[in-house]
Amino acid sequence: MSCGGLVIRADTPRNALPRCCDGERMADVFDIYTIIFLALAVFIFLRLRSVLGQRTGRERPPYDPYSARDAVRSPAAEKKVVTLPQRSSDASSRPAETAAPEAERWKDVAESGSTVAAGLDAVAAADSSFDAKHFITGARTAYEMIVTAFAGGDRRQLRSLLSRDVYDGFDAAITERERRSETAETRFVSIDGSTVTAAELRNRTTAQITVRFVSKLISATRDRSGTVIDGNAEKVTDVTDVWTFARDVSSRDPNWKVIATETGQ
């Protein structure tokens, strides 16, 4: 081996080499570290590959609930199509949808083609939210509330459910009862029937529906000493009342009020 024209023996220690040979010594050292770093890099690469696997181009993106939801809705959104409900397999065996409601519109409420049905048609035409069965349910509730409120002298309750004229009549009866120091007791046993007997639309805005109630009550009136002077506190009595309810269909107030009461047969 030679360095700068000097012949150097192979067994000469490296620290005894002249300065002109430092470059070769440093090159040797650099080559060693390069090999070590390359070996480490290869080792790390192989470890990462074994843990993470290889990408094939078919991998799914990370799950995004919002993008998944939008992907389901996108076809309809792009086409702006509203999907109509599908008809069931037995739809062909039923009458046409347009004819069935007319024939059974007031089923269990009024006979088709009757005067009552015609009146209900007029009310429904003026008030698209009108539901006859819902009305009857509310009328039954109001009937029980009014009878109970009258017996208890609850004027506030009566005022919210009765027209002014009917309220004045109830109020006068309560006042007379109080003047004589009498008390009334009324308990509902049942409401056995509630039948619409008339319906009409007056002046294009006032809907009027008359209902015949058949009920069972326990009713009695006591004097100031507690003695029963009218009715029977232990006997169930059959009672029939015919009440007329009215509502201004042009008003936002959905409540009906009683405008007439009479005892039925």
Side-chain angles (χ1 to χ4, degrees):
M1 174 180 180
S2 63
C3 179
L6 297 178
V7 177
I8 301 173
R9 297 175 55 185
D11 57 350
T12 304
R14 295 188 67 85
N15 56 8
L17 293 174
R19 296 183 61 85
C20 65
C21 296
D22 285 349
E24 293 184 10
R25 182 174 60 180
M26 293 299 296
D28 293 340
V29 173
F30 176 76
D31 291 340
I32 293 173
Y33 281 106
T34 301
I35 293 173
I36 293 174
F37 283 123
L38 287 175
L40 286 174
V42 172
F43 174 76
I44 293 173
F45 172 76
L46 292 175
R47 291 291 296 171
L48 288 174
R49 180 171 178 173
S50 64
V51 173
L52 300 179
Q54 301 181 47
R55 295 187 62 86
T56 64
R58 297 182 180 180
E59 294 80 7
R60 293 182 179 181
Y63 176 70
D64 183 349
Y66 296 98
S67 63
R69 181 181 58 190
D70 293 339
V72 174
R73 297 186 304 181
S74 59
E78 291 175 0
K79 297 179 181 179
K80 300 185 182 299
V81 174
V82 177
T83 304
L84 297 177
Q86 298 181 355
R87 299 181 63 184
S88 58
S89 58
D90 62 342
S92 58
S93 63
R94 297 199 304 265
E97 293 294 337
T98 55
E102 293 298 329
E104 301 181 0
R105 187 174 191 180
W106 310 120
K107 184 179 180 181
D108 301 327
V109 177
E111 184 179 352
S112 178
S114 65
T115 303
V116 174
L120 293 175
D121 284 338
V123 172
D127 180 7
S128 60
S129 65
F130 176 73
D131 183 315
K133 292 184 178 180
H134 179 73
F135 165 80
I136 292 175
T137 299
R140 289 167 65 99
T141 301
Y143 173 65
E144 184 172 351
M145 290 174 63
I146 291 169
V147 171
T148 303
F150 174 70
D154 188 348
R155 291 181 172 85
R156 182 177 180 180
Q157 182 79 281
L158 294 173
R159 189 177 289 109
S160 65
L161 297 169
L162 306 175
S163 68
R164 180 60 182 271
D165 292 342
V166 176
Y167 171 78
D168 288 344
F170 277 54
D171 178 58
I174 294 173
T175 300
E176 181 62 20
R177 193 172 64 206
E178 292 173 340
R179 186 184 66 81
R180 294 195 299 260
S181 298
E182 296 173 353
T183 57
E185 301 172 357
T186 298
R187 287 181 292 163
F188 268 87
V189 176
S190 63
I191 299 179
D192 299 331
S194 49
T195 306
V196 176
T197 60
E200 63 178 321
L201 182 68
R202 290 192 173 186
N203 302 321
R204 298 184 179 181
T205 59
T206 304
Q208 293 188 6
I209 300 178
T210 301
V211 183
R212 181 175 181 266
F213 296 101
V214 178
S215 60
K216 287 183 171 61
L217 303 175
I218 297 176
S219 182
T221 301
R222 300 177 185 271
D223 61 16
R224 67 181 63 191
S225 66
T227 302
V228 175
I229 58 176
D230 188 28
N232 192 318
E234 298 179 356
K235 182 181 179 181
V236 177
T237 304
D238 293 325
V239 177
T240 300
D241 288 311
V242 180
W243 289 12
T244 300
F245 298 80
R247 174 179 175 266
D248 183 353
V249 295
S250 64
S251 171
R252 292 184 178 181
D253 184 358
N255 296 318
W256 295 71
K257 288 193 175 185
V258 177
I259 62 171
T261 63
E262 61 178 308
T263 302
Q265 299 296 328

